[in-house]
Amino acid sequence: MLTQRSFRDVLGRFTTGVVLVTARTEDRLAGMAANSFTSVSLDPPLIALCAAHTSTTWPLIRSSGGFAVTILSDHHEEVCRLFSTPGADRFAGRTWASTPSGHPVLPDGLGWLDCRIQSVQRAGDHELVIAEAVDWNVAAAGVPLIFHSGRYAGWPPDFL
Ligand SMILES: Cc1cc2nc3c(=O)[nH]c(=O)nc-3n(C[C@H](O)[C@H](O)[C@H](O)COP(=O)(O)O)c2cc1C
């Protein structure tokens, strides 16, 4: 059956990592978890992500013109859940580092990128966001937080 449920299910079979998309906006820090993050271009360095129209956080991030991406490690499941919980105090109780643009990043992620929004295009119930990476840092190798069929895993994955 070609239902919205089975569409979600088939897309869930595509294994991804998870990132935090964060920004220092005019009046506060804003951030959300995302697994739609992907690389787009090496020259110039471009990345993309999709943000739901229902997100209350994305318009705040968009209004700042840029954002940081923290690539999550397997020990970040809790912070990932926090950054997808509506109304939660997402930045409390953790130490944050800052990118050169002033956006918050987790100091113990697998890496971060400092991004400037290049285009935002309506795409169904999401916005397709393309952004230029203006700075980045590669951390020491580590185990990524893996997301598959709506579940988190580390390495080796234990979905089956
Ligand atoms: C693993 C995971 C991946 C997610 N990926 C996205 C995404 O790519 N785009 C998106 O708009 N929301 C995504 N979300 C949902 C947001 O993190 C968050 O729930 C949503 O922004 C609601 O909070 P808000 O109203 O503060 O924006 C994801 C959530 C989880 C747990």
Side-chain angles (χ1 to χ4, degrees):
M1 277 277 282
L2 299 181
T3 61
Q4 195 174 100
R5 179 69 254 174
S6 68
F7 187 56
R8 286 180 76 116
D9 289 346
V10 70
L11 294 180
R13 296 292 164 99
F14 182 63
T15 306
T16 66
V18 191
V19 301
L20 294 189
V21 180
T22 48
R24 176 176 297 280
T25 71
E26 243 176 40
D27 38 42
R28 67 174 179 91
L29 299 178
M32 59 195 274
N35 72 332
S36 56
F37 171 81
T38 191
S39 56
V40 172
S41 161
L42 286 177
D43 185 17
L46 301 176
I47 61 93
L49 57 89
C50 296
H53 290 314
T54 51
S55 168
T56 57
T57 298
W58 169 246
L60 298 172
I61 297 174
R62 188 185 53 206
S63 70
S64 76
F67 53 81
V69 168
T70 302
I71 299 168
L72 298 184
S73 142
D74 66 338
H75 64 272
H76 286 135
E77 188 173 327
E78 193 189 323
V79 70
C80 180
R81 288 184 193 280
L82 185 66
F83 272 69
S84 60
T85 304
D89 187 357
R90 297 180 179 170
F91 289 88
R94 257 180 204 88
T95 305
W96 294 85
S98 177
T99 63
S101 302
H103 299 305
V105 284
L106 284 173
D108 56 350
L110 297 184
W112 57 254
L113 300 100
D114 208 353
C115 302
R116 211 173 280 149
I117 296 173
Q118 188 178 85
S119 70
V120 177
Q121 188 184 326
R122 200 185 162 90
D125 56 11
H126 280 61
E127 288 186 354
L128 171 60
V129 183
I130 296 186
E132 180 175 10
V134 292
D135 211 331
W136 53 83
N137 179 65
V138 187
V143 179
L145 182 61
I146 295 170
F147 194 63
H148 176 89
S149 287
R151 292 170 60 191
Y152 298 99
W155 193 263
D158 55 355
F159 325 111
L160 301 177

